[in-house]
Amino acid sequence: MSDGDRRARLDAALAHVSEAGDALVCVVGPTASGKTDLAIDLACALGGEIVSADSVQVYRRFDAASGKPSEEERTLARHHLVDVADGLEPFDAARFVVMADAAIADIRARGRRPIVCGGTFLWVKALLSGLSAAPPGDPEVRARHAALVAERGREALHARLREIDPRMAERLHPNDVLRVGRALEVFEVSGRRLSELQEAHGFREARYPSLLLTVARSQDELTERLRLRVRGFVASGLVAEVEGLVADGYREARAMGSVGYKEALAVLEGRLPEAELEDSIVRASRVFARRQRTWLGHEPVISLGRRQ
């Protein structure tokens, strides 16, 4: 993107921010679309700080494929909720909302402007509109799920969810063991499907007045940006990072199932030729980006720029 295009997007964003008053600004969009650049530009222009809404960036040591802001970017704008948890800690939407609320309150108390930025849309949705009333976690149920995964693999857990809550199973990837297990847990504890609870809740709480912004990209442009991004991941030592994480006991960490990490793990375990790593991550990233665009299609998001 040229400097002129970037400036034009910032000017358009600032005009919408001005019209929105004190609304919480959220920069969302598909992976590699340019969310971080826009959020940093807004933070610099508005005297703001960024609250990350990314389910991998919260974890320490998961760096190479998480898209975390660089040191230079963190110098330009302070970032919150990056590197705040160990890779083996549970970190779900409810925990994110608690920590994001605290960060937003702190930023505002210091006379600064909070800007939420990230592609984990469930977290953004939960922050803006609340979570459905689901039962608390049950350690015994979670232990049974962990034993099932250890014995028969993640697909077995996902298959069980598909039997009792097919709509939720359709939304969740089998590698997302934490969310799959939570959906099963809700049913086993309460007898109600999580998809039904969420539908009844409808995300209608309106916890914050908000302004959602996204950077519009053509499909070809986004694909090229994805490929360049993935090439950078691999060149920065992704496979070596995953090898070190596995050696230190993080093989079953939730973030290890995210795009980039699961493919690098497959290389280490001999399930994917290293020569195919980059293409494999790009394909998975494109699938993920399609899911993100589907979400955006159901939200009042303002697109900056025009898709070609």
Side-chain angles (χ1 to χ4, degrees):
M1 177 171 55
S2 69
D3 290 341
D5 289 340
R6 184 165 176 171
R7 182 69 228 186
R9 284 194 172 97
L10 174 60
D11 288 344
L14 289 172
H16 288 294
V17 171
S18 178
E19 293 176 0
D22 293 331
L24 181 62
V25 178
C26 301
V27 181
V28 296
T31 184
S33 60
K35 296 185 295 294
T36 298
D37 286 347
L38 177 58
I40 289 173
D41 288 346
L42 282 169
C44 291
L46 297 170
E49 299 177 13
I50 297 171
V51 179
S52 173
D54 188 289
S55 60
V56 181
Q57 292 184 10
V58 294
Y59 291 117
R60 293 184 288 272
R61 298 188 58 186
F62 284 81
D63 302 324
S66 62
K68 288 178 182 175
S70 66
E71 289 301 320
E72 179 182 0
E73 289 169 332
R74 297 189 207 199
T75 299
L76 290 170
R78 182 178 175 185
H79 284 69
H80 301 258
L81 301 194
V82 175
D83 293 331
V84 294
D86 180 79
L88 297 177
E89 289 181 51
F91 205 111
D92 58 12
R95 184 177 178 189
F96 166 75
V97 169
V98 170
M99 295 185 71
D101 281 344
I104 290 166
D106 171 64
I107 293 166
R108 286 178 168 171
R110 290 183 283 104
R112 308 278 288 173
R113 183 93 185 224
I115 299 165
V116 176
C117 176
T120 304
F121 296 150
L122 174 62
W123 286 13
V124 176
K125 192 75 169 174
L127 177 67
L128 300 180
S129 304
L131 288 163
S132 59
D138 186 312
E140 292 186 6
V141 171
R142 293 183 179 184
R144 288 202 305 272
H145 293 166
L148 176 63
V149 170
E151 180 182 352
R152 297 173 52 195
R154 299 174 179 183
E155 287 285 354
L157 194 70
H158 191 263
R160 182 171 292 182
L161 177 62
R162 194 162 52 242
E163 291 174 2
I164 62 100
D165 194 347
R167 283 188 294 170
M168 186 57 64
E170 180 68 23
R171 299 176 200 171
L172 299 177
H173 192 279
N175 285 336
D176 196 349
V177 175
L178 186 64
R179 289 196 180 98
V180 171
R182 177 55 179 159
L184 272 173
E185 179 183 50
V186 167
F187 181 79
E188 292 174 17
V189 171
S190 70
R192 297 193 64 187
R193 297 178 179 87
L194 183 57
S195 61
E196 294 173 351
L197 289 173
Q198 291 183 349
E199 183 177 339
H201 174 262
F203 291 102
R204 290 185 289 266
E205 189 175 327
R207 301 179 72 247
Y208 292 95
S210 60
L211 171 68
L212 275 65
L213 302 173
T214 191
V215 178
R217 302 281 183 190
S218 69
Q219 182 61 58
D220 288 345
E221 185 181 13
L222 186 61
T223 297
E224 180 58 25
R225 287 175 63 90
L226 279 171
R227 187 165 293 281
L228 289 173
R229 176 184 173 95
V230 170
R231 193 168 298 154
F233 291 168
V234 175
S236 69
L238 172 60
V239 174
E241 178 176 288
V242 172
E243 186 175 25
L245 287 165
V246 170
D248 290 340
Y250 290 90
R251 169 63 177 78
E252 300 303 323
R254 177 181 178 184
M256 200 65 79
S258 61
V259 174
Y261 285 98
K262 62 185 176 184
E263 290 81 12
L265 183 63
V267 168
L268 285 172
E269 295 180 345
R271 295 179 283 110
L272 178 71
E274 189 164 6
E276 297 179 15
L277 175 60
E278 184 178 312
D279 286 342
S280 181
I281 298 175
V282 170
R283 285 194 299 271
S285 297
R286 292 184 65 182
V287 171
F288 183 48
R290 282 199 295 272
R291 292 174 182 168
Q292 290 173 309
R293 288 197 299 273
T294 297
W295 184 89
L296 288 173
H298 296 90
E299 300 298 324
V301 182
I302 296 172
S303 293
L304 304 173
R306 296 173 58 187
R307 294 185 179 87
Q308 299 171 351

